[in-house]
Amino acid sequence: VTFTNKAAKEMKQRLIKMLSDATTIKFMETFGDLLPAAELEKMNENDIPTIGTFHSVCVRILRKTIHLLDYENSFAIYDVADQQILMKRVMNELNIDPKRVNHKAVLSHISNAKNQLIGPKDYSQFANDYFTEKVAEIYPVYQKALRMNNALDFDDIIMNTVKLFKAFPDVLDKYQEKFKFISVDEYQDTNKAQYELINLLSAKYRNLCVIGDADQSIYSWRGATIQNILDFEKDYTDTKIVKLEENYRSTQVILDASNEII
C-alpha cells in the first residue's frame, strides 16, 4: 500500500520486471517499459502482488462485497464537485443559511470525522458550538442522500471497508488469507481509519512491514496522526526495526539543514 497512484504505478512496473515470465519480458523489450493500462491491470491481478493506494485497494474490495452493507456493488464515487453540489442541496433542504455556514467547511469537518471513523450518529457528541451543531444536523442527511444515490464520497471508501470487516468476520478472513504479507509506505501519514484497516488485515498473520519517518509527517491537517508510527512498537511488541540511514536523494547541505530543523 502506498499513498499516490504515481508511486503505485512505479512499483507495479518494477515488480513486473522482477516477476514476469519470458513472454512478458519479451513484450517489454519490444514495446518499452510502459505497458498498456489493460495489460498492467491484468498482470497486477494475476501475476504480481496487489499494489495500490489505500483507496484503490479498498475500492476493489468494496466492488465485490459492499452489497453486504446494502449498497449495490456498482456504486458511484463522488468527487469534490459532486460532493459540493450534494452538500448545497442538503443545506438548502434543511434551510441552513450558506452565508453563515460554509458548505466547503462542512464537508471538511465531515471528512475529518470519517477519517477518525466517526459516523453521523456519533458526531453529535462532539458538537460544542453553532457551526459544529449545524454539521451534526447536516451529516446524517448528507450521508442518507449519498446512500439514496448509491454513492460514496472519497472518505467513505476506507470507512466502509473497516465497517465491512468488523461486521462480517468471514469477509475479513478471506482478505487476511489473500494479504498474508502487508507493506505500508509513508506510515507516518496514516490516519485512524487507515490504521484500523491495516490492524484488521494484519491481525491473523502479523506479517506487517511499515516504512516511515516520524520527522517527515506532513498530513496532520487531513487527519493523519503521528502516533501511529510512534506507537508501532507498543502495538507490535515483537517488531524488528531496520534503520534506512543512507540518503540517495539529497546533497549533504540539504541533509545538514534538514537535520538542524528536526
Side-chain angles (χ1 to χ4, degrees), residues 38-50 178:
E39 187 73 15
L40 191 63
E41 283 305 310
K42 185 176 74 174
M43 293 192 67
N44 180 56
E45 198 66 33
N46 300 324
D47 300 308
I48 64 172
T50 299
K178 181 177 175 63

Side-chain angles (χ1 to χ4, degrees), residues 1 3 54 115-116 184-196 198 210 217 219 222-229:
V1 183
F3 266 74
F54 276 100
N115 286 334
Q116 301 302 314
V184 185
D185 197 17
E186 306 289 4
Y187 192 72
Q188 77 279 352
D189 286 321
T190 52
N191 58 38
K192 182 176 180 180
Q194 293 161 339
Y195 171 84
E196 286 281 338
I198 294 301
V210 303
S217 181
Y219 284 115
R222 70 175 188 195
T225 171
I226 199 171
Q227 287 304 126
N228 289 351
I229 195 165

Side-chain angles (χ1 to χ4, degrees), residues 71 110 114 120 138-147 156:
Y71 287 85
I110 291 174
K114 290 180 178 180
I138 294 165
Y139 188 1
V141 181
Y142 169 75
Q143 211 58 29
K144 184 179 179 180
L146 282 170
R147 182 179 282 272
D156 283 324

Side-chain angles (χ1 to χ4, degrees), residues 199-255:
N199 268 3
L200 286 165
L201 284 171
S202 64
K204 187 172 185 177
Y205 290 103
R206 294 176 60 80
N207 295 316
L208 175 61
C209 172
V210 303
I211 304 97
D213 179 357
D215 292 320
Q216 295 187 50
S217 181
I218 60 172
Y219 284 115
S220 60
W221 57 274
R222 70 175 188 195
T225 171
I226 199 171
Q227 287 304 126
N228 289 351
I229 195 165
L230 294 178
D231 291 345
F232 190 82
E233 292 172 84
K234 295 178 184 176
D235 295 337
Y236 302 91
T237 54
D238 52 345
T239 294
K240 178 182 178 182
I241 296 176
V242 179
K243 293 186 177 181
L244 307 177
E245 297 182 316
E246 187 73 27
N247 189 296
Y248 297 94
R249 179 180 293 171
S250 301
T251 60
Q252 193 60 48
V253 67
I254 292 172
L255 297 175

